[in-house]
Amino acid sequence: MLVYYLNNHFMQIKPVRKKLSDEVLTRIEELIRDEVWAVDSYLPSERDLMEMFGVGRPSIREALYALERMGLLRINTGERPKVTRPTPQNMLTSLTATARLLMDQPHGVMHFEQARLFLEVGVARHVAEFATPAQIGAVSRALEANEVTIPRSRAFAMSDVVFHRVLTESTGNPIFLAMHEALVEWLIAQRQLPTDPEVGNRRAFNDHVALFEAVEQRDPERAGQVMRLHLEHAWSRFGTVQALSKPREET
């Protein structure tokens, strides 16, 4: 009896349709993927797209703006949308709003700091093992630039980010680089500039020196250890996270 009722009930319900803009987005995405509209080519005008898909201007525009956020289109005022190649940055930038909401949750910042630790410890180990002489030279130059800014809080914070970016870039993996840039952007927003730049910045710089030496000496294990200690120093300095290395006990 119950099965008969459910079957009879659901047969009377019409399937839920996707929004018109979502249908347009899917169709345009397929056409771009199939290279009907190749990278660097221009889409038809809004009016032509309206006729092509049989929808109104709002649905077309909503689909186009969504495709721009995905990194598949570039939209400039007065021009037709241009097909572009998506990048890892596009993917992670689209997650920024979600990331900020997650960071506002209990232990949110801790979880993001831990994600950065896993990434950067792995990066340090990889660079120590596989970096080319040219890549090690780039890390060395970033280290020199970092030292010059020690007395100035804001300048040091910027050169600190550059040092870690150059190190991550040395992996040759654009996904790692995009992840690093996103994590740093999200976490830096949670921090205040220190009031003791000479002491704190000098300690951070010394960590960078030890990290560079481990990389230069091709010692992955040491590089990973130094990076872990360096990030833990940063946590204690900015007061963002405590005892991240230990699993959190459930309550």
Side-chain angles (χ1 to χ4, degrees):
M1 185 66 180
L2 178 60
V3 172
Y4 171 81
Y5 170 78
L6 291 174
N7 287 339
N8 186 57
H9 178 71
F10 284 112
M11 284 177 65
Q12 299 175 27
I13 298 177
K14 295 181 179 180
V16 176
R17 267 190 84 184
K18 289 168 58 175
K19 287 172 55 180
L20 289 177
S21 60
D22 289 342
E23 293 182 1
V24 173
L25 183 152
T26 300
R27 292 290 304 282
I28 294 178
E29 183 181 358
E30 289 173 350
L31 291 167
I32 292 173
R33 190 169 58 245
D34 293 340
E35 297 188 341
V36 173
W37 292 319
V39 173
D40 291 331
S41 68
Y42 289 91
L43 266 58
S45 67
E46 284 187 359
R47 184 175 298 278
D48 289 340
L49 290 171
M50 289 163 59
E51 293 179 2
M52 185 182 301
F53 296 110
V55 298
R57 192 180 302 274
S59 295
I60 292 294
R61 288 188 172 178
E62 189 173 344
L64 294 179
Y65 288 138
L67 288 162
E68 183 182 38
R69 291 191 295 271
M70 293 165 62
L72 293 175
L73 294 178
R74 184 170 69 247
I75 301 175
N76 294 321
T77 304
E79 297 181 0
R80 288 181 293 154
K82 186 176 184 180
V83 179
T84 57
R85 194 180 304 279
T87 66
Q89 286 80 5
N90 294 136
M91 175 184 67
L92 289 164
T93 298
S94 68
L95 299 176
T96 296
T98 302
R100 288 172 178 162
L101 288 173
L102 289 172
M103 292 180 77
D104 287 339
Q105 295 178 6
H107 309 296
V109 173
M110 180 185 75
H111 294 154
F112 277 85
E113 291 280 15
Q114 192 168 40
R116 183 186 176 190
L117 181 145
F118 272 71
L119 174 65
E120 295 217 36
V121 167
V123 163
R125 294 175 61 88
H126 181 94
V127 173
E129 188 169 0
F130 297 109
T132 65
Q135 289 169 333
I136 293 177
V139 176
S140 177
R141 290 189 293 275
L143 182 66
E144 292 171 1
N146 186 224
E147 182 177 22
V148 174
T149 62
I150 288 176
R152 307 190 305 278
S153 294
R154 190 172 299 279
F156 184 84
M158 295 175 63
S159 67
D160 187 318
V161 169
V162 170
F163 175 80
H164 284 264
R165 186 189 190 282
V166 171
L167 194 71
T168 306
E169 193 172 25
S170 298
T171 64
N173 188 319
I175 303 295
F176 290 164
L177 183 58
M179 291 172 62
H180 164 77
E181 290 180 340
L183 285 167
V184 167
E185 179 185 351
W186 298 334
L187 289 168
I188 289 297
Q190 305 293 317
R191 296 177 175 177
Q192 300 293 325
L193 290 174
T195 56
D196 60 340
E198 185 62 38
V199 175
N201 292 352
R202 177 65 62 180
R203 180 175 185 179
F205 172 74
N206 289 339
D207 286 348
H208 291 165
V209 170
L211 181 56
F212 174 74
E213 290 174 348
V215 167
E216 190 176 39
Q217 294 165 11
R218 304 291 186 180
D219 188 342
E221 188 65 30
R222 176 63 180 158
Q225 291 173 349
V226 171
M227 179 63 83
R228 175 178 289 275
L229 289 173
H230 173 55
L231 293 179
E232 289 177 347
H233 289 165
W235 299 333
S236 62
R237 182 183 182 192
F238 293 104
T240 54
V241 179
Q242 294 181 352
L244 247 185
S245 300
K246 299 177 182 179
R248 182 168 58 87
E249 293 183 2
E250 297 295 334
T251 56

